[in-house]
Amino acid sequence: MDHLHDCIIIGAGPAGLACGIEAKKRNLDFLIIEKGTVCDSIYHYPTHMTFFTTSELLEIGGVPMVVSTEKPKRVDGLVYYRRVANEFQLPIKDYEEVLGISGQEGDFRIATRDRWAVDHCYRSRRIIIATGYYANPNRLGIPGEDLPHVSHYYLDPHPYFRKKVTVVGGKNSAAIAALELYRNGAAEVRLVHRGPAMSSEVKYWILPDINNRIKNGEIKAHFNTRLIEIRPQEVVLATPQGTEVYTSDFVLLLTGYQPDVQFLRKVGIEVGEEDLAPRHNPETLESNVKGIYLAGAVLSGRNTNEIFIENGRFHGSQIFKHWPR
């Protein structure tokens, strides 16, 4: 604990890695601390997911991302970011969760716990928080949300073969899951969305597909509808026609994600009550806590469609442009 680092970066996603590359270029003494694996959010994306963007817009550190298709897939991203981490020899402490931050600029103390339940403490002059939001699903707060057959994440259609599945949500995650389940042997796919139709933000090549499957009755859709209770083998819906109950073997709550507001506030960072966006200087990306900076999707609050890898990858250079000597 006696060693004082120049910088500690919390989060080893693309934004955190990009910050690490900038710190490396400046010969700073730094660490990257990650509670999961490198690019843990991407690892937990659907297995066969395709990025919305081209490979050039996912690149960091000037390292080319070479793929055989126009748009890279999840596995391409994982391979690429592992390669970047190795190429720059980034010092990453993975599977180590940050429990709290104390102290002040010039001498912060970062308390962590590794996967063996061993506690550690690091000192750093400054901190960059790049924790994203994917680890914190928007909870519905309804009875049965924590039952074992309920999940806020979708990875692969195989476990749902010949099962009745309820998918809650109206954006990309819900549309992709519903289509994959339908095409891979789910006995029934029921889509529940509180809006009047699928969101216009659904990827342009997916939106007509999901709408046609709904129109043909191949995916059963309930719009202007809320899920109000989950039971071991049933879901209870509040529909425009009244309360309805349906059989459901599994429930996927794909209703979006948000930054870890509790952690940010515990650190002392002010967070908007409505938009959940952390207070920061838009030019330097320094938070209201002097010496603590923010990078990547954690800045977006509830507006998760504003910051992606494509723009978050530049936050490292933006921060270090104003980094005190």
Side-chain angles (χ1 to χ4, degrees):
M1 178 177 161
D2 291 335
H3 182 73
L4 181 63
H5 296 280
D6 294 317
C7 175
I8 282 183
I9 301 162
I10 304 174
L17 297 179
C19 290
I21 291 169
E22 294 298 325
K24 187 88 172 184
K25 290 178 179 178
R26 289 161 174 77
N27 296 316
L28 296 181
D29 181 345
F30 73 100
L31 285 177
I32 301 175
I33 302 177
E34 165 60 53
K35 71 176 181 179
T37 186
V38 172
C39 291
D40 198 71
S41 294
I42 296 177
Y43 173 70
H44 286 96
Y45 285 172
T47 305
H48 306 293
M49 188 213 75
T50 299
F51 282 97
F52 183 72
T53 188
T54 59
S55 60
E56 292 84 357
L57 298 180
L58 300 179
E59 295 174 354
I60 58 176
V63 179
M65 182 180 189
V66 181
V67 296
S68 59
T69 56
E70 180 185 0
K71 291 182 172 61
K73 298 183 179 297
R74 164 188 169 273
V75 66
D76 297 319
L78 293 175
V79 170
Y80 171 75
Y81 291 116
R82 289 198 303 266
R83 181 162 66 90
V84 170
N86 281 336
E87 186 159 328
F88 285 94
Q89 297 183 329
L90 299 178
I92 302 171
K93 288 188 170 292
D94 53 3
Y95 300 104
E96 191 165 333
E97 183 176 7
V98 174
L99 303 178
I101 299 172
S102 59
Q104 59 188 0
E105 182 182 37
D107 193 1
F108 285 110
R109 311 295 172 93
I110 298 92
T112 71
R113 181 170 296 155
D114 65 26
R115 60 178 172 154
W116 311 116
V118 177
D119 291 340
H120 306 270
C121 189
Y122 304 94
R123 296 172 62 202
S124 181
R125 291 185 171 87
R126 296 177 186 87
I127 296 170
I128 300 174
I129 297 176
T131 49
Y133 55 73
Y134 198 65
N136 304 284
N138 293 325
R139 293 181 59 84
L140 299 184
I142 61 174
E145 187 167 4
D146 296 316
L147 287 171
H149 69 297
V150 181
S151 177
H152 290 89
Y153 298 92
Y154 165 77
L155 294 178
D156 189 270
H158 182 76
Y160 310 105
F161 177 61
R162 293 183 176 178
K163 300 300 180 185
K164 294 184 177 181
V165 187
T166 301
V167 179
V168 181
K171 294 188 177 181
N172 281 302
S173 297
I176 291 170
L179 288 168
E180 287 196 1
L181 291 168
Y182 159 70
R183 292 197 167 101
N184 288 276
E188 179 182 88
V189 182
R190 190 176 302 277
L191 186 66
V192 178
H193 180 40
R194 63 184 180 180
M198 297 301 293
S199 171
S200 60
E201 296 175 7
V202 174
K203 296 173 182 177
Y204 66 85
W205 67 90
I206 294 175
L207 186 58
D209 191 3
I210 185 70
N211 284 338
N212 285 332
R213 303 291 73 74
I214 292 171
K215 181 180 178 181
N216 294 342
E218 295 157 324
I219 292 174
K220 303 178 187 299
H222 299 262
F223 293 117
N224 296 311
T225 296
R226 293 180 299 110
L227 176 64
I228 58 175
E229 184 182 351
I230 304 171
R231 299 170 182 169
Q233 293 180 304
E234 295 177 330
V235 291
V236 183
L237 309 181
T239 77
Q241 291 74 38
T243 301
E244 298 178 3
V245 180
Y246 295 95
T247 301
S248 187
D249 298 305
F250 290 95
V251 181
L252 297 174
L253 303 178
L254 306 181
T255 52
Y257 308 90
Q258 64 182 38
D260 189 346
V261 173
Q262 184 177 0
F263 173 74
L264 294 175
R265 286 176 173 159
K266 183 179 177 182
V267 171
I269 297 174
E270 298 174 7
V271 178
E273 292 294 333
E274 293 297 326
D275 61 7
L276 299 185
R279 181 182 167 193
H280 65 282
N281 182 319
E283 182 179 359
T284 65
L285 300 186
E286 186 175 24
S287 73
N288 61 282
V289 179
K290 191 170 178 56
I292 298 183
Y293 298 76
L294 300 161
V298 71
L299 288 160
S300 63
R302 288 191 189 278
N303 300 318
T304 54
N305 60 343
E306 291 185 354
I307 298 178
F308 305 95
I309 298 174
E310 296 97 306
N311 48 9
R313 63 190 176 132
F314 298 117
H315 288 170
S317 58
Q318 183 176 346
I319 289 171
F320 283 102
K321 179 180 178 182
H322 304 279
W323 195 260
R325 294 185 181 277

